[in-house]
Amino acid sequence: MNKNIYLCGCVKNCGPYLEKNLNHMVEIGKLFNEYKIIISFDNSDDNSLNIINNFKKHNNKLILLHNNKKLSNNRVINICNARNSILNKIREINKNYEFFIMMDMDNRFHQKKLNINLLINVISNNNWDSLSFHLPGYYDIWALSYEPFIYSCWHYFHNHGQNQEYVKHVKKNIINKLNNLKENELL
């Protein structure tokens, strides 16, 4: 495809899944004319950084960001900070890259085989700006969040009981929209 793309992910203690997920990124990147991989890394207690550095030795497409913000006790805040650092880096270095894909780097996809034909079908549509992969029963509503509003109502589900009914309504609405998309239609 004659397009350029950023493939992005956030890493903290993802060691057991990293190699497979980084290889998924390369596989997707090869569908495009040019690609860069941007990883935002938070200090980990495992071998994540070693895996990333070894990968970087053999792949000059990787841009590694060390997230220097003080880590919160709230995982969602850390993920939002990491994702926003990626978006800021893209804004800083954008060199005519039309698209980006944000991928989970944990256990969500490492055992899955990429459906490249489906992905080619989606990306050849040219009617999208970003993709956020999901699996049945899981939807990353972050893709619908934007700075300075780095939280969506989804993030408050476990933290603020008063928003529980609102979150259920939004979740039901989004799932309903996803289930009723026409073939090749994107949300």
Side-chain angles (χ1 to χ4, degrees):
M1 173 173 277
N2 195 18
K3 301 281 183 189
N4 301 328
I5 189 163
Y6 289 109
L7 299 153
C8 310
C10 304
V11 172
K12 180 178 171 88
N13 294 327
C14 297
Y17 323 108
L18 268 180
E19 189 174 333
K20 182 78 172 213
N21 286 328
L22 289 167
N23 289 331
H24 281 334
M25 291 175 137
V26 170
E27 192 175 351
I28 294 168
K30 289 179 179 178
L31 299 175
F32 292 82
N33 188 45
E34 180 61 36
Y35 72 95
K36 292 286 184 190
I37 296 171
I38 302 177
I39 299 295
S40 182
F41 173 78
D42 281 339
N43 289 333
S44 296
D45 300 323
D46 67 2
N47 63 341
S48 292
L49 187 57
N50 290 337
I51 293 168
I52 294 168
N53 284 330
N54 285 334
F55 178 83
K56 190 173 181 177
K57 287 178 191 175
H58 306 290
N59 190 313
N60 64 354
K61 305 283 188 183
L62 178 69
I63 299 169
L64 178 59
L65 307 175
H66 287 270
N67 198 3
N68 294 323
K69 286 193 176 188
K70 183 176 186 275
L71 293 180
S72 167
N73 291 332
N74 186 323
R75 180 176 178 269
V76 170
I77 291 173
N78 296 328
I79 292 171
C80 289
N81 286 332
R83 287 175 170 172
N84 284 335
S85 73
I86 290 170
L87 294 176
N88 288 335
K89 188 66 172 178
I90 289 171
R91 290 182 191 113
E92 176 188 319
I93 64 172
N94 186 358
K95 294 185 172 140
N96 298 318
Y97 281 56
E98 294 92 340
F99 305 111
F100 82 92
I101 295 177
M102 182 68 70
M103 295 178 65
D104 280 339
M105 302 303 289
D106 59 11
N107 63 346
R108 297 250 182 231
F109 297 102
H110 84 287
Q111 292 180 342
K112 302 288 181 187
K113 180 167 175 25
L114 286 179
N115 186 339
I116 292 296
N117 291 330
L118 176 64
L119 189 57
I120 289 170
N121 189 31
V122 170
I123 62 179
S124 63
N125 181 331
N126 282 334
N127 192 19
W128 62 282
D129 294 313
S130 68
L131 293 178
S132 184
F133 289 101
H134 73 280
L135 297 171
Y138 170 79
Y139 182 72
D140 191 354
I141 198 170
W142 170 86
L144 305 177
S145 303
Y146 55 92
E147 204 168 6
F149 307 104
I150 61 172
Y151 303 109
S152 66
C153 62
W154 198 269
H155 297 124
Y156 291 98
F157 184 66
H158 298 292
N159 299 338
H160 302 287
Q162 68 272 19
N163 290 337
Q164 196 168 15
E165 288 305 312
Y166 178 71
V167 172
K168 284 180 184 176
H169 175 75
V170 170
K171 178 180 177 182
K172 182 179 176 183
N173 186 25
I174 289 172
I175 290 171
N176 185 47
K177 285 182 179 189
L178 286 171
N179 289 336
N180 289 299
L181 292 175
K182 296 179 180 116
E183 188 174 342
N184 298 324
E185 183 182 14
L186 301 174
L187 176 66

CSV table of all heavy atoms in Angstrom, one decimal, residues 61-89:
chain,number,residue,atom,x,y,z
A,61,LYS,N,13.4,0.6,12.5
A,61,LYS,CA,12.1,1.3,12.4
A,61,LYS,C,11.5,1.7,13.8
A,61,LYS,O,10.6,2.4,13.9
A,61,LYS,CB,11.0,0.4,11.7
A,61,LYS,CG,11.4,-0.2,10.4
A,61,LYS,CD,11.2,0.9,9.3
A,61,LYS,CE,11.4,0.2,7.9
A,61,LYS,NZ,11.3,1.2,6.9
A,62,LEU,N,12.2,1.2,14.8
A,62,LEU,CA,11.7,1.4,16.2
A,62,LEU,C,12.1,2.7,16.8
A,62,LEU,O,13.3,3.0,16.8
A,62,LEU,CB,12.1,0.2,17.1
A,62,LEU,CG,11.7,0.3,18.6
A,62,LEU,CD1,10.2,0.1,18.7
A,62,LEU,CD2,12.5,-0.7,19.4
A,63,ILE,N,11.2,3.5,17.3
A,63,ILE,CA,11.4,4.7,18.1
A,63,ILE,C,11.0,4.3,19.6
A,63,ILE,O,9.8,4.0,19.8
A,63,ILE,CB,10.6,5.9,17.6
A,63,ILE,CG1,11.1,6.2,16.2
A,63,ILE,CG2,10.8,7.1,18.5
A,63,ILE,CD1,10.1,7.2,15.5
A,64,LEU,N,11.9,4.4,20.5
A,64,LEU,CA,11.6,4.0,21.9
A,64,LEU,C,11.5,5.3,22.7
A,64,LEU,O,12.5,6.1,22.8
A,64,LEU,CB,12.7,3.1,22.4
A,64,LEU,CG,12.6,2.7,23.9
A,64,LEU,CD1,11.3,1.9,24.1
A,64,LEU,CD2,13.8,1.8,24.3
A,65,LEU,N,10.4,5.5,23.4
A,65,LEU,CA,10.2,6.6,24.3
A,65,LEU,C,10.2,6.0,25.7
A,65,LEU,O,9.5,5.1,26.0
A,65,LEU,CB,8.8,7.2,24.0
A,65,LEU,CG,8.5,7.6,22.6
A,65,LEU,CD1,7.1,8.1,22.5
A,65,LEU,CD2,9.5,8.7,22.1
A,66,HIS,N,11.0,6.7,26.6
A,66,HIS,CA,11.0,6.3,28.0
A,66,HIS,C,10.0,7.3,28.7
A,66,HIS,O,10.3,8.5,28.7
A,66,HIS,CB,12.4,6.4,28.6
A,66,HIS,CG,13.3,5.3,28.2
A,66,HIS,ND1,13.4,4.1,28.9
A,66,HIS,CD2,14.1,5.2,27.1
A,66,HIS,CE1,14.2,3.3,28.3
A,66,HIS,NE2,14.7,4.0,27.2
A,67,ASN,N,9.0,6.8,29.2
A,67,ASN,CA,8.0,7.6,29.8
A,67,ASN,C,8.5,8.1,31.2
A,67,ASN,O,8.7,7.3,32.1
A,67,ASN,CB,6.7,6.9,30.0
A,67,ASN,CG,5.5,7.8,30.3
A,67,ASN,OD1,5.6,9.0,30.2
A,67,ASN,ND2,4.4,7.2,30.5
A,68,ASN,N,8.8,9.4,31.2
A,68,ASN,CA,9.5,10.0,32.4
A,68,ASN,C,8.5,10.5,33.4
A,68,ASN,O,8.9,11.0,34.5
A,68,ASN,CB,10.5,11.0,32.0
A,68,ASN,CG,11.6,10.4,31.2
A,68,ASN,OD1,12.1,9.3,31.5
A,68,ASN,ND2,12.1,11.1,30.2
A,69,LYS,N,7.2,10.5,33.1
A,69,LYS,CA,6.3,11.1,34.1
A,69,LYS,C,6.2,10.1,35.3
A,69,LYS,O,6.4,8.9,35.2
A,69,LYS,CB,4.9,11.1,33.5
A,69,LYS,CG,4.7,12.3,32.5
A,69,LYS,CD,3.3,12.5,32.2
A,69,LYS,CE,3.1,13.7,31.3
A,69,LYS,NZ,1.8,14.1,31.1
A,70,LYS,N,6.0,10.7,36.4
A,70,LYS,CA,5.9,9.9,37.7
A,70,LYS,C,4.7,9.0,37.5
A,70,LYS,O,3.6,9.4,37.1
A,70,LYS,CB,5.7,10.9,38.9
A,70,LYS,CG,5.6,10.1,40.2
A,70,LYS,CD,5.5,11.1,41.3
A,70,LYS,CE,5.6,10.4,42.7
A,70,LYS,NZ,4.3,9.9,43.1
A,71,LEU,N,5.0,7.7,37.8
A,71,LEU,CA,3.9,6.7,37.6
A,71,LEU,C,2.9,6.9,38.7
A,71,LEU,O,3.2,7.1,39.9
A,71,LEU,CB,4.5,5.3,37.7
A,71,LEU,CG,5.4,4.9,36.5
A,71,LEU,CD1,5.9,3.5,36.6
A,71,LEU,CD2,4.7,5.1,35.2
A,72,SER,N,1.7,6.7,38.4
A,72,SER,CA,0.6,6.7,39.3
A,72,SER,C,0.3,5.3,39.8
A,72,SER,O,0.7,4.3,39.2
A,72,SER,CB,-0.7,7.3,38.5
A,72,SER,OG,-1.8,7.1,39.3
A,73,ASN,N,-0.5,5.3,40.9
A,73,ASN,CA,-1.0,4.0,41.4
A,73,ASN,C,-2.1,3.5,40.5
A,73,ASN,O,-2.5,2.3,40.6
A,73,ASN,CB,-1.4,4.1,42.8
A,73,ASN,CG,-0.3,4.3,43.8
A,73,ASN,OD1,0.8,3.9,43.5
A,73,ASN,ND2,-0.5,5.0,44.9
A,74,ASN,N,-2.7,4.4,39.7
A,74,ASN,CA,-3.8,4.1,38.8
A,74,ASN,C,-3.2,3.7,37.4
A,74,ASN,O,-2.7,4.5,36.7
A,74,ASN,CB,-4.7,5.3,38.7
A,74,ASN,CG,-6.0,4.9,37.9
A,74,ASN,OD1,-5.9,4.2,36.9
A,74,ASN,ND2,-7.1,5.5,38.3
A,75,ARG,N,-3.4,2.4,37.0
A,75,ARG,CA,-2.9,1.9,35.7
A,75,ARG,C,-3.4,2.7,34.6
A,75,ARG,O,-2.7,3.0,33.6
A,75,ARG,CB,-3.3,0.4,35.6
A,75,ARG,CG,-2.8,-0.2,34.4
A,75,ARG,CD,-3.2,-1.7,34.4
A,75,ARG,NE,-2.8,-2.4,33.2
A,75,ARG,CZ,-3.5,-2.5,32.1
A,75,ARG,NH1,-4.8,-2.0,32.1
A,75,ARG,NH2,-3.1,-3.1,31.0
A,76,VAL,N,-4.7,3.1,34.6
A,76,VAL,CA,-5.3,3.8,33.5
A,76,VAL,C,-4.6,5.2,33.3
A,76,VAL,O,-4.3,5.6,32.1
A,76,VAL,CB,-6.8,4.1,33.8
A,76,VAL,CG1,-7.4,5.0,32.8
A,76,VAL,CG2,-7.5,2.7,33.7
A,77,ILE,N,-4.2,5.9,34.3
A,77,ILE,CA,-3.5,7.1,34.2
A,77,ILE,C,-2.1,6.9,33.5
A,77,ILE,O,-1.7,7.6,32.6
A,77,ILE,CB,-3.3,7.8,35.6
A,77,ILE,CG1,-4.7,8.3,36.1
A,77,ILE,CG2,-2.3,9.0,35.5
A,77,ILE,CD1,-4.6,8.8,37.5
A,78,ASN,N,-1.4,5.9,33.9
A,78,ASN,CA,-0.1,5.5,33.3
A,78,ASN,C,-0.3,5.2,31.8
A,78,ASN,O,0.5,5.7,31.0
A,78,ASN,CB,0.5,4.4,34.0
A,78,ASN,CG,0.9,4.8,35.5
A,78,ASN,OD1,1.2,5.9,35.8
A,78,ASN,ND2,0.8,3.8,36.3
A,79,ILE,N,-1.3,4.4,31.5
A,79,ILE,CA,-1.5,4.1,30.0
A,79,ILE,C,-1.9,5.4,29.3
A,79,ILE,O,-1.4,5.6,28.1
A,79,ILE,CB,-2.7,3.1,29.9
A,79,ILE,CG1,-2.2,1.7,30.5
A,79,ILE,CG2,-3.1,2.9,28.5
A,79,ILE,CD1,-3.3,0.7,30.6
A,80,CYS,N,-2.7,6.2,29.8
A,80,CYS,CA,-3.1,7.5,29.1
A,80,CYS,C,-1.8,8.4,28.9
A,80,CYS,O,-1.7,8.9,27.8
A,80,CYS,CB,-4.1,8.3,29.9
A,80,CYS,SG,-5.8,7.5,29.9
A,81,ASN,N,-1.0,8.5,29.9
A,81,ASN,CA,0.2,9.2,29.8
A,81,ASN,C,1.1,8.6,28.7
A,81,ASN,O,1.7,9.4,27.9
A,81,ASN,CB,1.0,9.3,31.1
A,81,ASN,CG,0.3,10.3,32.1
A,81,ASN,OD1,-0.3,11.2,31.7
A,81,ASN,ND2,0.5,10.0,33.4
A,82,ALA,N,1.2,7.3,28.7
A,82,ALA,CA,2.1,6.7,27.7
A,82,ALA,C,1.5,6.9,26.3
A,82,ALA,O,2.2,7.2,25.3
A,82,ALA,CB,2.2,5.2,28.0
A,83,ARG,N,0.2,6.7,26.1
A,83,ARG,CA,-0.4,6.9,24.8
A,83,ARG,C,-0.3,8.4,24.4
A,83,ARG,O,0.0,8.6,23.2
A,83,ARG,CB,-1.9,6.5,24.8
A,83,ARG,CG,-2.0,4.9,24.9
A,83,ARG,CD,-3.4,4.5,25.1
A,83,ARG,NE,-3.5,3.1,24.9
A,83,ARG,CZ,-4.6,2.4,25.1
A,83,ARG,NH1,-5.7,3.0,25.5
A,83,ARG,NH2,-4.6,1.1,24.9
A,84,ASN,N,-0.5,9.3,25.3
A,84,ASN,CA,-0.3,10.7,24.9
A,84,ASN,C,1.1,11.0,24.5
A,84,ASN,O,1.3,11.9,23.7
A,84,ASN,CB,-0.9,11.6,26.0
A,84,ASN,CG,-2.4,11.6,26.0
A,84,ASN,OD1,-3.0,11.4,25.0
A,84,ASN,ND2,-2.9,11.9,27.2
A,85,SER,N,2.1,10.4,25.2
A,85,SER,CA,3.5,10.6,24.8
A,85,SER,C,3.7,10.2,23.4
A,85,SER,O,4.5,10.8,22.6
A,85,SER,CB,4.5,10.0,25.8
A,85,SER,OG,4.5,8.6,25.6
A,86,ILE,N,3.1,9.1,23.0
A,86,ILE,CA,3.2,8.6,21.6
A,86,ILE,C,2.6,9.6,20.6
A,86,ILE,O,3.1,10.0,19.6
A,86,ILE,CB,2.5,7.2,21.4
A,86,ILE,CG1,3.4,6.2,22.1
A,86,ILE,CG2,2.3,6.9,20.0
A,86,ILE,CD1,2.7,4.8,22.3
A,87,LEU,N,1.4,10.1,21.0
A,87,LEU,CA,0.7,11.1,20.1
A,87,LEU,C,1.5,12.3,20.0
A,87,LEU,O,1.7,12.9,18.9
A,87,LEU,CB,-0.7,11.4,20.6
A,87,LEU,CG,-1.7,10.3,20.6
A,87,LEU,CD1,-3.0,10.7,21.2
A,87,LEU,CD2,-1.9,9.8,19.2
A,88,ASN,N,2.1,12.8,21.1
A,88,ASN,CA,3.0,14.0,21.0
A,88,ASN,C,4.2,13.7,20.2
A,88,ASN,O,4.6,14.6,19.4
A,88,ASN,CB,3.4,14.4,22.4
A,88,ASN,CG,2.3,15.0,23.2
A,88,ASN,OD1,1.3,15.5,22.6
A,88,ASN,ND2,2.3,14.9,24.5
A,89,LYS,N,4.8,12.5,20.2
A,89,LYS,CA,5.9,12.2,19.4
A,89,LYS,C,5.6,12.2,17.9
A,89,LYS,O,6.3,12.7,17.0
A,89,LYS,CB,6.5,10.9,19.8
A,89,LYS,CG,7.8,10.5,19.1
A,89,LYS,CD,8.9,11.5,19.5
A,89,LYS,CE,10.3,11.1,19.0
A,89,LYS,NZ,11.3,12.1,19.4
